[in-house]
Amino acid sequence: MSEHTLTSPEVSFAAKPSSGTKRIWNVFWLLSFITVIELVLGFGLAKHWYGSAGMILFIKGVICILSLAKAYYIVSVFMHLGDEIRNFIMTIVVPLLLFIWFIAAFLWDGNSWKVLRNTDAGSRTEQKATPAAKPEGAKD
Amino acid sequence: MATAAIPTGMKWWNGGRSPFNASYGKVMMWYFLMSDAFTFGAFLISYGTIRFSVNYWPDPNQVFNAFPGFGHQDLPLAFVSLMTFILIASSVTMVLAVHEGHHMNRKGVEKYMLMTIVGGLAFLACQAWEWTHLLTGEHISLMENGTLAAIPTTVSGNPWGAAVPHEAMLAALQKTPHDQLVSIAGSLHHAGGAHHDMSKMADGELINMIRAANVHVTLPGPRAFGGYFFGITGFHGFHVFSGVVINVIMYLKAKWGHFDQRGHYEMIEKTGLYWHFVDLVWVFVFLCFYLI
């Protein structure tokens, strides 16, 4: 057992705390760097740098993945979850996997509502309502 | 971080010790944060569902393009970048406070807790400015009844719909009643303080004034926009606020020597978990409302 005090009688061992703060600062610079990249990509969205809808979707996907990377570093290093024992990590992380289904199902559902509304529930071929012709706020 | 070796043949589940090698309080803080993640996740996914279900959604870069002291300049992402960096910086000072706590350095804990509290207050101040700016900043919209009106961004309406063509704007101006013309003209010149004179001006004069100002007119935006924006950023802001309150309490307890008496600074770790969670949620609020 290390010289480090145990915080509670049921805790069996305490990891020796790291002596320096190098890792914390490394993660800080990494998070800042990722945020700057996100901002540059987002600025491109604002200034319409990316032509096609497919390209815009791709850039948005990249930004989402970068955000997940930030989340990983915050949870793993700043919140020290990476230093906990594996079983504990799994009880936190595995339930969060529900989000995969949750996001996919609900966004799919939202898109389905849009299609049903634009086609009068499938009774005619899709006519994309132009926003200028119809005040969207009236319905929502 | 250095890890102690787990003794071979350790019987984790024989009772008397935590199978997760963590105190009850810390384990429960993690499970609380997990449930809170589901709450925020549900809010954000609901927002995404509605956004996917309509043909038009406001461009965040049009809505959030102001910076204090820069008037009407178009500065997309600038202010929210500042807010994001404030929160990242306060996360670092928090983790440094936890680090000092591991080394039983009371002075260090106090210093970094204070810095974290200042960061939290700065973030809240930024959010207060942004909300005020949206709730009071009026833009001209072509309303459903065919008239023009100057409306702010609230939970019941917003001016962030699609742009209205110039001819439609001119036609709508003719139908707009006097008091709405006065308020539109007032929103164009709110720095001038000439509001009292405007109410006495004839409609024709007001219309000429509005036409001369070359105004940008939009349709009202999706009504759900304001509710989701204020609801989710408000819920996050409430977390920041409660985090600041908890941080202040922990700062005082550290200062009064409670953790030195206890022999460990685990409360600072638990507070840190909550504070980092607040930062974590902001990563996704920032993503969903401002970036994409």
Side-chain angles (χ1 to χ4, degrees):
Chain A
M1 194 179 295
S2 72
E3 75 288 352
H4 188 53
T5 331
L6 293 179
T7 53
S8 158
E10 69 270 20
V11 172
S12 306
F13 65 85
K16 193 177 176 300
S18 64
S19 49
T21 54
K22 195 161 176 285
R23 188 155 181 243
I24 294 169
W25 287 108
N26 283 346
V27 170
F28 168 73
W29 289 115
L30 187 67
L31 290 177
S32 302
F33 178 67
I34 294 175
T35 305
V36 168
I37 294 179
E38 284 183 334
L39 286 169
V40 170
L41 291 174
F43 192 74
L45 288 171
K47 297 291 168 196
H48 309 287
W49 289 350
Y50 321 109
S52 67
M55 191 60 191
I56 290 172
L57 200 62
F58 173 74
I59 294 291
K60 288 182 175 180
V62 170
I63 295 175
C64 287
I65 290 166
L66 289 174
S67 287
L68 287 174
K70 283 203 310 196
Y72 169 79
Y73 282 106
I74 291 172
V75 173
S76 171
V77 179
F78 281 5
M79 296 170 89
H80 297 291
L81 188 62
D83 300 327
E84 302 291 349
I85 70 173
R86 187 182 155 81
N87 284 355
F88 185 45
I89 297 174
M90 288 303 143
T91 65
I92 309 283
V93 172
V94 171
L96 292 176
L97 294 179
L98 272 171
F99 271 122
I100 297 170
W101 165 80
F102 204 17
I103 293 168
F106 276 81
L107 295 188
W108 193 294
D109 210 28
N111 190 57
S112 160
W113 290 344
K114 177 169 75 181
V115 172
L116 289 175
R117 200 150 51 197
N118 286 348
T119 59
D120 287 341
S123 64
R124 59 183 169 81
T125 52
E126 180 156 10
Q127 275 182 336
K128 207 167 167 26
T130 53
K134 177 169 73 89
E136 203 67 53
K139 274 184 184 171
D140 306 301
Chain B
M1 189 155 295
T3 48
I6 301 171
T8 45
M10 174 84 100
K11 297 261 187 287
W12 289 107
W13 297 93
N14 275 6
R17 64 167 65 94
S18 164
F20 293 149
N21 194 47
S23 71
Y24 177 81
K26 201 158 136 187
V27 171
M28 289 304 133
M29 177 55 97
W30 269 106
Y31 291 150
F32 162 68
L33 294 180
M34 182 175 70
S35 73
D36 219 16
F38 276 109
T39 308
F40 270 108
F43 284 158
L44 286 172
I45 290 165
S46 161
Y47 160 79
T49 307
I50 294 300
R51 193 170 158 172
F52 267 56
S53 77
V54 293
N55 289 310
Y56 179 86
W57 197 259
D59 176 2
N61 297 304
Q62 236 177 311
V63 184
F64 311 107
N65 65 350
F67 200 94
F70 283 81
H72 288 270
Q73 284 184 52
D74 180 35
L75 299 166
L77 291 171
F79 193 59
V80 74
S81 314
L82 174 69
M83 290 169 77
T84 302
F85 281 110
I86 287 173
L87 219 48
I88 291 178
S90 83
S91 243
V92 172
T93 56
M94 184 75 234
V95 77
L96 289 171
V98 173
H99 179 85
E100 295 298 337
H102 283 151
H103 293 276
M104 302 296 291
N105 177 4
R106 182 163 61 82
K107 282 283 165 221
V109 171
E110 285 176 22
K111 178 177 88 178
Y112 287 121
M113 286 306 284
L114 264 187
M115 287 164 76
T116 308
I117 291 163
V118 169
L121 290 175
F123 181 86
L124 286 172
C126 288
Q127 198 167 35
W129 182 86
E130 185 181 47
W131 275 37
T132 309
H133 177 78
L134 287 171
L135 289 166
T136 58
E138 291 180 331
H139 294 262
I140 301 157
S141 273
L142 173 55
M143 307 308 283
E144 274 174 64
N145 61 11
T147 66
L148 295 185
I151 58 169
T153 308
T154 67
V155 290
S156 54
N158 65 75
W160 306 114
V164 170
H166 191 64
E167 304 75 52
M169 186 277 264
L170 293 179
L173 260 183
Q174 302 300 328
K175 282 194 269 178
T176 304
H178 182 71
D179 55 330
Q180 278 169 239
L181 287 175
V182 171
S183 93
I184 292 170
S187 78
L188 300 174
H189 300 279
H190 46 75
H195 202 69
H196 296 294
D197 304 322
M198 281 180 194
S199 61
K200 294 193 191 86
M201 282 164 71
D203 284 7
E205 273 182 276
L206 286 167
I207 288 172
N208 284 338
M209 195 169 150
I210 294 163
R211 286 180 61 171
N214 209 1
V215 292
H216 179 70
V217 175
T218 54
L219 291 174
R223 192 165 297 166
F225 179 80
Y228 277 115
F229 176 77
F230 290 113
I232 294 175
T233 59
F235 197 58
H236 175 263
F238 177 71
H239 275 73
V240 177
F241 172 74
S242 54
V244 169
V245 171
I246 295 166
N247 283 349
V248 167
I249 294 170
M250 290 307 144
Y251 164 75
L252 291 175
K253 282 178 78 71
K255 199 177 169 62
W256 293 336
H258 291 184
F259 303 135
D260 286 333
Q261 286 163 26
R262 208 176 281 183
H264 60 81
Y265 277 76
E266 206 197 29
M267 286 308 284
I268 299 291
E269 273 182 58
K270 286 183 251 184
T271 314
L273 287 178
Y274 185 72
W275 191 254
H276 292 309
F277 177 75
V278 167
D279 183 32
L280 181 69
V281 169
W282 181 254
V283 167
F284 291 101
V285 172
F286 174 57
L287 172 74
C288 295
F289 279 100
Y290 299 91
L291 279 175
I292 62 176

